Amino acid sequence: MEAFERELDMPWALYHVRRLFLVTKDGRRRPVKRSTERVGLGGLHHLAQRLISVSGRHGLDVEHDSVYGRARAWIRPRAKGWPMAEELFAPARVIDKKDQNFERHWDALVSGSAANSLSPESPLTAAPRKDTR
């Protein structure tokens, strides 16, 4: 019980989360690439309220579960088809992480005018790589 109570008292972090859902040249889904960057520390409810307040000032959609205190602010919601990118801010207990070549893939997907109509030469349609997490 003491370990459980310590875990409840642990600080939470507010994270900037970006995910890439990529495909191979032949259209198969690749492992999801992730980037999580910590942008703030605090308690879950404090971070959720901060996220709701800042998101409201910037006109961002927020999902808020008032029972558990969790909140998510969507910068780029997940699309329906692959390849796609999503971007959000959310409180969590995870570590900063960025997959290899994430920025190159992110820039290629989000800078294009039509993210779902990529050319065969795009880095997003390259052969699948083994996940090195």
Side-chain angles (χ1 to χ4, degrees):
M1 187 62 145
E2 184 179 311
F4 178 73
E5 288 174 355
R6 270 196 317 270
E7 186 174 338
L8 290 175
D9 289 336
M10 288 176 60
W12 285 65
L14 182 61
Y15 285 91
H16 179 208
V17 179
R18 296 179 298 161
R19 294 186 188 108
L20 291 167
F21 301 81
L22 308 175
V23 295
T24 63
K25 286 182 181 181
D26 62 1
R28 289 180 291 128
R29 293 179 176 188
R30 294 180 56 195
V32 175
K33 288 188 169 287
R34 293 170 179 83
S35 172
T36 57
E37 300 172 79
R38 186 176 48 221
V39 296
L41 291 172
L44 175 59
H45 293 286
H46 168 77
L47 292 172
Q49 289 305 313
R50 179 175 159 208
L51 184 61
I52 290 165
S53 174
V54 172
S55 297
R57 287 196 306 269
H58 293 279
L60 298 176
D61 290 333
V62 177
E63 293 175 6
H64 182 230
D65 177 349
S66 58
V67 174
Y68 295 103
R70 296 179 187 253
R72 291 180 179 174
W74 290 95
I75 307 298
R76 176 185 302 271
R78 187 180 293 188
K80 290 186 170 115
W82 289 42
M84 67 179 147
E86 72 176 3
E87 182 175 13
L88 66 137
F89 284 90
R93 287 186 183 150
V94 296
I95 58 171
D96 289 351
K97 178 185 173 196
K98 191 177 297 185
D99 289 332
Q100 184 178 13
N101 298 320
F102 180 88
E103 293 301 332
R104 180 173 62 93
H105 291 294
W106 179 266
D107 291 342
L109 184 64
V110 301
S111 66
S113 59
N116 289 330
S117 59
L118 299 171
S119 71
E121 297 81 33
S122 168
L124 300 176
T125 56
R129 69 170 180 80
K130 189 171 188 168
D131 200 2
T132 59
R133 280 187 249 163

